[in-house]
Amino acid sequence: MDNTDAYLLNFKGYYLIRSTANTDLLKNLEEFEVRHDDVFIITYPKSGTVWAQQILSLIYFEGHRNRTETVETLDRVPFLEHGVPKMEHQKRPSPRLFASHLPYYLAPKGLKNKKAKILYIYRNPKDVLISYFHFSNMMVMLEAPENIEYFMKKFLDGKGN
């Protein structure tokens, strides 16, 4: 496993943003306890994850009534693989909402054999490529691609920053 890239971490064949990846959490994710009323938003990056996080959290927690709109989206619907500081996923009250960009083979075992709800969102890969390219140019934690051709090669290699 080559983990010399300054921006990306290769974890079991899947690339994550090095600065946000929590390797301790990832190593134990297979055993993560999934509850029957958990809801998982599963997407490829830049495919509408934040929109889905906001919509579902407003539906589940009636944000307009409970003032949850003052709580950050990542605190309402955290990424399963990122491990938000000071947040223990197992202690969150039900129903728990999660987002994830992880591939199926890295998902917790319980997600494969329990009755949790999964919302899978996909987007035209051409649109994802362009959105990811512009996102990478904007984010300091990601490598700024030289041009769209260079970025497309990395994207097709599974290293789309």
Side-chain angles (χ1 to χ4, degrees), residues 104-140:
Y104 182 77
Y105 71 92
L106 291 178
K109 279 191 247 177
L111 191 58
K112 300 169 188 173
N113 58 26
K114 289 213 176 167
K115 299 255 187 220
K117 296 167 186 72
I118 299 172
L119 177 62
Y120 177 74
I121 300 173
Y122 64 93
R123 182 179 181 192
N124 184 323
K126 295 174 191 174
D127 294 333
V128 171
L129 171 76
I130 299 302
S131 179
Y132 220 151
F133 172 74
H134 291 296
F135 182 74
S136 296
N137 279 317
M138 199 175 59
M139 297 299 293
V140 294

Side-chain angles (χ1 to χ4, degrees), residues 26-133:
L26 288 166
K27 288 175 186 172
N28 297 310
L29 198 56
E30 188 175 339
E31 302 305 319
F32 179 79
E33 182 188 341
V34 176
R35 298 178 193 158
H36 73 282
D37 57 352
D38 285 346
V39 180
F40 292 83
I41 303 166
I42 309 294
T43 67
Y44 190 81
K46 307 313 298 166
S47 296
T49 315
V50 173
W51 284 1
Q53 287 171 297
Q54 292 174 351
I55 291 167
L56 278 183
S57 67
L58 290 172
I59 291 169
Y60 270 82
F61 305 122
E62 297 184 339
H64 60 287
R65 293 189 188 135
N66 297 332
R67 318 279 302 145
T68 56
E69 64 271 8
T70 61
V71 178
E72 291 293 324
T73 302
L74 288 176
D75 291 331
R76 288 183 274 151
V77 188
F79 277 88
L80 187 60
E81 62 267 25
H82 290 185
V84 178
K86 298 181 183 174
M87 179 183 290
E88 293 184 48
H89 292 328
Q90 295 295 357
K91 293 184 178 180
R92 291 180 57 217
S94 291
R96 300 179 303 180
L97 305 178
F98 294 103
S100 181
H101 295 318
L102 290 175
Y104 182 77
Y105 71 92
L106 291 178
K109 279 191 247 177
L111 191 58
K112 300 169 188 173
N113 58 26
K114 289 213 176 167
K115 299 255 187 220
K117 296 167 186 72
I118 299 172
L119 177 62
Y120 177 74
I121 300 173
Y122 64 93
R123 182 179 181 192
N124 184 323
K126 295 174 191 174
D127 294 333
V128 171
L129 171 76
I130 299 302
S131 179
Y132 220 151
F133 172 74

